[in-house]
Amino acid sequence: MLTERQRMILNAIVDDYISSAEPVGSRSISKRGDVGYSPATIRNEMADLEELGYLEQPHTSAGRIPSHKGYRYYVDHLVPWNSAGTAEMGTIRAFFAEKLNATEQVIQHAAMILSNMTNYTSILLGPEVFHTSLRHFQLLPLDGNNAVAIIVTSTGQVENRTVQIPPEISLSEMEKVVNLLNSKLVNVPLYKLKSQLYSELGEEMQRHISHYEELMQVLDQALESDHDQRIYLSGAANMLTQPEFKDVDKVKTILDLLEETPTLLKMLSPASGGTGIQVRIGTENKHEAFAHCSLITATYSLDGKALGSIGILGPTRMEYARVMGILGILSRDLTAMLAHWYK
């Protein structure tokens, strides 16, 4: 357990490193009015904090920087909640006061506001991602080579797309597959359809359908969804302004990952029963590309059930208190507004 003095010094080091992006020395900490210890005392405490794993020293003669363990302690024990400033709260209030009348517009606008306010990358998942599921699927032959795949969603929306049908597949085989799909995948959320296609239908189709592989390719095309339109990303270029990401290859892996819809869905989908603000620091993100990033997410909900997620992605040297405060306000007001619309 850290002493009160160690907590104070760790807090000062994380704050200074977040604002400067430079290793922090004992002398600069001693000059802060809120610490009040001599450089020698602070040096000794910094050495102890390094030995305990809360700080790192990038070079022998340099000051210290927070480790991932240090950031975790800072977020869990030192960050003051509700740290959004008056101006930031005013911006969010003004946004909701506009009374935009479409959920999509609200989500898009919120993503843009978040990235502008924080100078990080914002990622928002719309309610449809979690709540729209399959109600009915149909394949209607157009000619010998093509068919129209029709997907009716739980919200009554009808999506259709033309798919190619290999000539060796008969109408009776298509009918069997459609019946099988409707019996197994109705009520499955749209974003899970393709993954469950193989886990739920693969084995049974392999046993009963002669052209199994060809038909799986047809269904793969048919169930292709426009989920990316329901993930709202804003401020990806802000990564380039962070000193940690001067390495072009490092930034490229992050930007490439931001284009992978299934990965983003997995990272931002609320955990079972999980609500409120969650902070994942560095390797806690469980994806190598985000090993030097922190992802802060908040859910918004209706009747206690999560509808979507708001995420802010930035370097581990993130302004945790400020971002958590902003996300807290935004998720609360978004929940209230959607509840008003849906009731």
Side-chain angles (χ1 to χ4, degrees):
M1 181 178 292
L2 299 185
T3 65
E4 192 54 39
R5 186 160 69 188
Q6 288 172 329
R7 286 163 54 92
M8 183 184 297
I9 291 172
L10 177 62
N11 187 55
I13 291 172
V14 177
D15 280 346
D16 277 15
Y17 185 64
I18 285 174
S19 61
S20 70
E22 296 290 339
V24 182
S26 56
R27 188 167 296 279
S28 66
I29 295 298
S30 70
K31 291 179 180 175
R32 289 173 54 125
D34 58 341
V35 175
Y37 296 109
S38 69
T41 301
I42 293 171
R43 263 197 306 279
N44 289 336
E45 295 290 9
M46 289 169 74
D48 289 344
L49 287 168
E50 182 179 356
E51 191 174 324
L52 292 169
Y54 293 97
L55 297 178
E56 296 173 348
Q57 190 170 25
H59 310 292
T60 306
S61 58
R64 280 19 178 239
I65 65 174
S67 64
H68 287 182
K69 182 179 177 181
Y71 281 126
R72 172 49 63 197
Y73 190 90
Y74 176 79
V75 168
D76 290 345
H77 302 287
L78 303 176
V79 166
W81 286 77
N82 299 321
S83 298
T86 304
E88 289 155 346
M89 291 180 68
T91 302
I92 293 174
R93 302 286 184 221
F95 161 60
F96 284 103
E98 290 179 12
K99 296 181 180 178
L100 300 176
N101 58 5
T103 301
E104 188 166 313
Q105 283 180 290
V106 170
I107 301 296
Q108 285 177 334
H109 201 163
M112 184 185 68
I113 285 177
L114 274 178
S115 63
N116 287 343
M117 289 173 70
T118 62
N119 287 325
Y120 300 130
T121 302
S122 64
I123 311 166
L124 277 80
L125 303 189
E128 294 85 353
V129 170
F130 302 109
H131 274 248
T132 304
S133 57
L134 178 70
R135 178 183 293 172
H136 185 71
F137 176 77
Q138 187 59 276
L139 269 179
L140 298 179
L142 291 175
D143 52 42
N145 299 315
N146 297 287
V148 176
I150 299 174
I151 295 174
V152 183
T153 73
S154 57
T155 59
Q157 183 179 353
V158 179
E159 300 178 5
N160 64 79
R161 60 179 52 83
T162 302
V163 294
Q164 289 188 328
I165 305 294
E168 61 271 24
I169 295 177
S170 66
L171 286 176
S172 63
E173 279 186 314
M174 286 175 53
E175 191 174 343
K176 279 185 193 174
V177 168
V178 167
N179 291 337
L180 190 58
L181 191 147
N182 280 316
S183 69
K184 298 284 187 181
L185 298 186
V186 164
N187 294 328
V188 170
L190 294 189
Y191 78 97
K192 289 185 176 177
L193 277 181
K194 290 189 73 170
S195 61
Q196 294 205 7
L197 173 66
Y198 291 90
S199 62
E200 297 292 329
L201 271 72
E203 190 176 334
E204 200 159 345
M205 282 182 61
Q206 203 163 8
R207 283 204 307 269
H208 301 294
I209 307 292
S210 54
H211 295 95
Y212 157 75
E213 291 184 356
E214 292 85 351
L215 269 166
M216 286 301 269
Q217 289 177 6
V218 171
L219 293 178
D220 205 52
Q221 293 176 55
L223 298 178
E224 190 69 46
S225 181
D226 57 352
H227 295 150
D228 54 340
Q229 294 177 0
R230 292 162 185 163
I231 292 180
Y232 305 93
L233 192 68
S234 183
N238 287 341
M239 285 288 176
L240 300 171
T241 67
Q242 304 295 339
E244 289 87 345
F245 301 125
K246 290 178 180 174
D247 182 338
V248 174
D249 291 336
K250 190 186 289 184
V251 175
K252 185 174 183 305
T253 59
I254 295 171
L255 296 180
D256 286 345
L257 189 62
L258 291 177
E259 293 181 358
E260 292 181 18
T261 300
T263 303
L264 288 183
L265 282 171
K266 187 175 178 182
M267 295 185 74
L268 271 83
S269 296
S272 179
T275 57
I277 292 179
Q278 297 180 7
V279 182
R280 296 170 198 158
I281 299 169
T283 52
E284 293 174 4
N285 288 298
K286 302 190 183 306
H287 201 293
E288 190 176 350
F290 284 177
H292 299 285
C293 298
S294 286
L295 178 64
I296 303 181
T297 58
T299 54
Y300 52 95
S301 57
L302 179 64
D303 291 336
K305 188 173 183 179
L307 288 179
S309 293
I310 310 166
I312 292 289
L313 181 71
T316 50
R317 185 188 53 81
M318 182 184 277
E319 294 179 89
Y320 293 96
R322 180 166 169 263
V323 172
M324 290 162 70
I326 291 172
L327 283 187
I329 293 171
L330 188 63
S331 63
R332 185 188 63 202
D333 288 2
L334 197 53
T335 293
M337 187 186 67
L338 293 177
H340 175 70
W341 286 358
Y342 287 157
K343 285 183 177 176

